[in-house]
Amino acid sequence: MKFTKTLIAASLAFVSADTFAAAFQLAEQNVSGLGRAYAGEASVADDASVVARNPALMTLFKEKQLSVAAMAVIPDVSLKGTGNAYGLDNSVLDDDSIAPSAIIPAGYFTMPVNDKVSVGFGAFSNFGLATEFNDDYAAGQIAGETEIVTVNMNASVAYKVSEQFSFGIGLNAIYAEAKIIRKFGVVPPVNPAIASIPASADAVHLEGDDMGYGLNIGLMYQLDENSRFGFNYRTETDITFEGEYSNELPSFIPGGLNGQLELPGSVEITLPAIAEFSGSHQLDEKLGVHYSVLWTGWSSFDSLEAQVTAPTGDKFSAFEKTEDFSDAMRYSIGADYQYSENLMLRAGFAFDESPVSQQHLSISIPDTDRFWFSFGGYYAIDQNSNVDLGVSVLRGKTQKFTEKVESETLPQQWSFESKGHAVLIGAQYNYTF
């Protein structure tokens, strides 16, 4: 699909992101939280980015706040071939870089209306994915290119019920794009005609976009001047990516279009619900500790399927991959230390649980349990402005798995060892006025 060059669509090339929280969920909504592995995000009121993780915290700001951030994702996701059904050298499956680097931007604004009501606006992303293989990769029918990009535009309002309790609600408009490309790859020479099809030929090419809507609700309770608790819940969002489908397969292959015809196509997915509980405690005038437990309802994501409408009006499935995700948890703990009047230091640790079972591991959406090791800092430039810097090192487990293509005519089976690590680096500017 050739998309209209709106401001949002143009920005998507900048937002295109890799998956470095569970599955294709993104944790990177700000840099102030990055330095403590995003511990305490529903209870810490660092800056205007509270719009993304708990709008109830907006009532703690007495002045207007503006925050803009950019986070670089530098992945190291590699594959090593360990087996195949065709007697090929397993090294043809090796790939030391299946996930491109990306920049994830975000921006927020909050404003108190009066001593009870505050409003806020934000643009950020909760979900994103990009994996890309060489066009002639042997296992092309399970590899190719997979991309999911989302931009969440949020408007929130918060109300201060008492000195201890506030609540907030946000409306989210989520613009999403998806791309699924699968190649013919290497197949057994069933007959000379099939053997003549190049491995780089598109077997599936579908691109589409959609706009979805959802809500998030936040609560904040101030136990005393040194302890605060927060909770945020974000609803599911149904997305139907509608675009155009094509392939480069010859007409003697069932569904072959010879690259000369484009048909209406769509992919339906449900972006999962998210719930987070956090606590923050100021132990003394310098040291604070924070923690979070985050739940993501990944069981709503059970398959990835491309539906295509033929010229006759009939629909058929051009691509289907069972995902069967399970709900997943993320646990984080972090601390900040006021080193001097202008400088605050941060550190944190997190464990990010994968929702993908061993039997459904995939090279198109690579995933594993991850450990986060994070540190960062905050520096006050003057009374009204400050900057945040943060770095996280993510270490994933080594996985061994087999992925199959279920087909009556061309069944395939490939085995892999995968490793997934990453470095996240971010910078953020905050201004109070």
Side-chain angles (χ1 to χ4, degrees), residues 3 55 57 65 67 135 166 191 238 258 356 359 365 369 381:
F3 302 109
L57 296 171
Q65 292 254 350
S67 297
D135 287 349
S166 296
N191 62 54
D238 292 325
N258 287 307
V356 185
Q359 60 267 37
I365 307 181
D369 295 342
I381 300 172

Side-chain angles (χ1 to χ4, degrees), residues 4-19:
T4 304
K5 299 299 184 181
T6 61
L7 176 62
I8 294 173
S11 71
L12 288 174
F14 189 56
V15 179
S16 182
D18 305 281
T19 167

Side-chain angles (χ1 to χ4, degrees), residues 59-60 62 115-116 160-166 220-225 227-228:
T59 61
L60 297 174
K62 306 305 180 185
D115 60 353
K116 292 285 188 181
K160 184 177 181 180
V161 178
S162 66
E163 292 300 319
Q164 288 76 39
F165 179 69
S166 296
M220 184 273 291
Y221 181 74
Q222 190 83 33
L223 181 64
D224 55 41
E225 63 180 8
S227 295
R228 183 188 306 129

Side-chain angles (χ1 to χ4, degrees), residues 24 84 104 119 138 140 146 188 191 203 249 251 263 270 275 300 308 352 376 404 415-416 427 431-432:
F24 55 93
N84 65 86
I104 307 173
V119 296
T146 305
N191 62 54
L249 301 181
S251 56
L263 301 175
T270 297
S300 63
V308 177
D352 210 352
K404 300 179 181 180
S415 297
F416 304 92
Y431 187 74
T432 301

Side-chain angles (χ1 to χ4, degrees), residues 184 193 196-198 200-205 245-263 311 316:
F184 192 66
S196 68
I197 300 173
S200 61
D202 285 355
V204 174
H205 189 134
Y245 166 81
S246 64
N247 65 48
E248 297 175 336
L249 301 181
S251 56
F252 66 81
I253 298 288
L257 302 176
N258 287 307
Q260 299 175 353
L261 182 64
E262 292 184 336
L263 301 175
F316 64 92

Side-chain angles (χ1 to χ4, degrees), residues 226-298:
N226 294 317
S227 295
R228 183 188 306 129
F229 300 99
F231 175 80
N232 188 62
Y233 178 79
R234 186 174 298 277
T235 62
E236 290 183 352
T237 304
D238 292 325
I239 298 288
T240 301
F241 299 102
E242 295 184 341
E244 295 177 353
Y245 166 81
S246 64
N247 65 48
E248 297 175 336
L249 301 181
S251 56
F252 66 81
I253 298 288
L257 302 176
N258 287 307
Q260 299 175 353
L261 182 64
E262 292 184 336
L263 301 175
S266 65
V267 176
E268 296 182 4
I269 68 171
T270 297
L271 300 178
I274 304 170
E276 181 174 18
F277 171 79
S278 300
S280 295
H281 307 279
Q282 195 65 34
L283 302 185
D284 56 36
E285 62 181 14
K286 289 185 176 293
L287 181 63
V289 296
H290 316 277
Y291 49 87
S292 284
V293 177
L294 186 145
W295 166 89
T296 304
W298 276 117

Side-chain angles (χ1 to χ4, degrees), residues 380-421:
I381 300 172
D382 54 38
Q383 185 175 354
N384 296 320
S385 59
N386 60 76
V387 294
D388 290 288
L389 299 175
V391 176
S392 287
V393 177
L394 281 63
R395 303 294 295 177
K397 298 192 301 186
T398 298
Q399 300 272 31
K400 294 184 178 181
F401 61 97
T402 296
E403 189 168 359
K404 300 179 181 180
V405 175
E406 302 293 347
S407 170
E408 293 182 2
T409 56
L410 296 172
Q412 300 185 33
Q413 180 171 306
W414 313 89
S415 297
F416 304 92
E417 178 182 283
S418 68
K419 296 180 181 179
H421 310 305

Side-chain angles (χ1 to χ4, degrees), residues 16 19 31 49 65 93 97 103 123 130 132 138 143 194 219 222 232 282-283 302 318 355 379 395 411 427:
S16 182
T19 167
V31 178
S49 65
Q65 292 254 350
L93 299 176
S97 180
I103 300 291
E132 185 175 355
I194 290 180
L219 305 173
Q222 190 83 33
N232 188 62
Q282 195 65 34
L283 302 185
D302 54 7
Y379 183 77
R395 303 294 295 177

